Amino acid sequence: MTKLTNEELNKIREIRIHQILGVKDNGRRIMIRCPFHSDKTASFVLYPENNYTCFGCNKTGQNCIDFVIDLGFTFEESLLELIKYIK
């Protein structure tokens, strides 16, 4: 794995899940259809603190790294995927 600098790691920590999903971050809790399972209605909640919960499939996470891992990436793959959002 490519070694990341402390600066890159700090920037990764700042990435908003909203940015990954391409939804507007209005500073409020928003509900959308879950990216982890087939959803007919919005069951996925993005919180202003950059964490998430799905009330349909029970996935939860505290940050963008958790989110990308829940998409099926390994930890290392997640970091490499997220680095794309800071360059």
Side-chain angles (χ1 to χ4, degrees):
M1 178 178 156
T2 305
K3 185 169 173 139
L4 301 176
T5 66
N6 284 337
E7 181 182 345
E8 289 170 322
L9 289 172
N10 287 332
K11 287 181 180 180
I12 285 173
R13 288 185 189 105
E14 295 172 6
I15 295 170
R16 306 279 297 157
I17 298 166
H18 297 74
Q19 182 182 353
I20 298 167
L21 290 172
V23 296
K24 185 175 180 179
D25 182 0
N26 61 8
R28 295 180 156 171
R29 178 187 71 158
I30 62 169
M31 291 188 74
I32 60 173
R33 291 174 54 192
C34 182
F36 303 119
H37 73 280
S38 183
D39 227 0
K40 291 185 181 180
T41 59
S43 63
F44 186 81
V45 182
L46 281 171
Y47 295 98
E49 300 83 17
N50 203 32
N51 52 2
Y52 60 92
T53 299
C54 177
F55 293 101
C57 66
N58 297 318
K59 294 253 188 201
T60 61
Q62 301 298 315
N63 54 50
C64 64
I65 297 170
D66 290 344
F67 180 79
V68 177
I69 289 172
D70 278 345
L71 288 174
F73 292 85
T74 66
F75 179 75
E76 289 180 353
E77 291 169 339
S78 297
L79 294 179
L80 293 174
E81 185 67 23
L82 290 167
I83 199 89
K84 297 174 188 175
Y85 289 90
I86 63 170
K87 289 188 175 184

